[in-house]
Amino acid sequence: MMNITVIVIETIILTVLFTAAVLFNSKNPVDTVYDMPQPIIDRCLELGLIDETKKAESRETRLKKLVAALIIALVLALILYFVNGTENFLQGFLASYIIWLVIDWYDCFVIDWGWVCHSRKIIIPGTEDLMDSYKDYKFHAIGSLKGMALGLPVCALVGLMVQIINWII
């Protein structure tokens, strides 16, 4: 049976880890440019600050994201099974999707809207005239909706892994 208190604690811990990862990865704002609106990406390409191989659509980036999703799904499934006591697909899916949604919304409203849209530290030199793009709330809201949709198959995989662990153990 799912334990809501444990899910809340896990969500808080994962949100803190997510925040730390974002802060670490944003030390050089150019490294996060592909999470920015297109005009900023285009300017960075023009300036030679980035190349196309790091784009979200690139084979390399998709492979990295797939491997990361598989690792995250496995770790989350193990935690949900052994710590939360989830025992089947539905419990694993629901618990992981609740966590996913909270982090997704935190990313949109706190990280993107609260920090990215207002921090001078993330402005890439040569893009200072693109402040409207940095403050594109709609872009980040659409990104959050995409994240919510992306979470469905990842969390379904978590649920499947929880079910498989339960069959094995």
Side-chain angles (χ1 to χ4, degrees):
M1 183 50 97
M2 289 192 304
N3 184 331
I4 297 300
T5 304
V6 174
I7 291 173
V8 169
I9 293 168
E10 289 166 340
T11 303
I12 291 168
I13 291 168
L14 289 171
T15 302
V16 168
L17 291 173
F18 176 78
T19 303
V22 168
L23 291 174
F24 177 79
N25 288 329
S26 65
K27 286 183 180 180
N28 179 5
V30 174
D31 293 340
T32 64
V33 74
Y34 285 111
D35 294 328
M36 299 287 186
Q38 196 61 45
I40 299 168
I41 295 170
D42 292 342
R43 177 68 59 80
C44 289
L45 284 167
E46 288 171 21
L47 294 171
L49 299 174
I50 56 172
D51 62 52
E52 304 267 341
T53 62
K54 303 284 192 256
K55 277 188 150 179
E57 301 86 23
S58 76
R59 187 178 193 291
E60 178 185 331
T61 301
R62 286 183 186 203
L63 184 60
K64 284 181 182 178
K65 287 183 177 183
L66 177 63
V67 169
L70 291 172
I71 292 169
I72 290 167
L74 179 60
V75 169
L76 196 50
L78 290 167
I79 291 169
L80 290 176
Y81 184 83
F82 289 107
V83 177
N84 295 57
T86 58
E87 298 176 339
N88 59 48
F89 172 84
L90 185 60
Q91 290 175 354
F93 173 78
L94 290 175
S96 62
Y97 198 64
I98 289 167
I99 294 168
W100 184 284
L101 282 179
V102 171
I103 294 172
D104 180 77
W105 294 339
Y106 170 83
D107 181 37
C108 179
F109 300 123
V110 176
I111 300 291
D112 293 338
W113 287 13
W115 181 56
V116 172
C117 290
H118 298 282
S119 176
R120 294 231 165 252
K121 291 182 179 184
I122 57 103
I123 297 172
I124 299 165
T127 66
E128 296 87 354
D129 61 319
L130 299 173
M131 291 310 294
D132 288 346
S133 293
Y134 280 102
K135 293 184 180 192
D136 189 346
Y137 295 95
K138 181 180 175 184
F139 170 82
H140 296 293
I142 290 170
S144 178
L145 292 172
K146 290 177 183 177
M148 291 167 62
L150 181 64
L152 293 170
V154 174
C155 294
L157 181 60
V158 171
L160 179 63
M161 289 177 173
V162 166
Q163 185 66 61
I164 291 169
I165 293 167
N166 190 41
W167 287 336
I168 293 172
I169 295 182

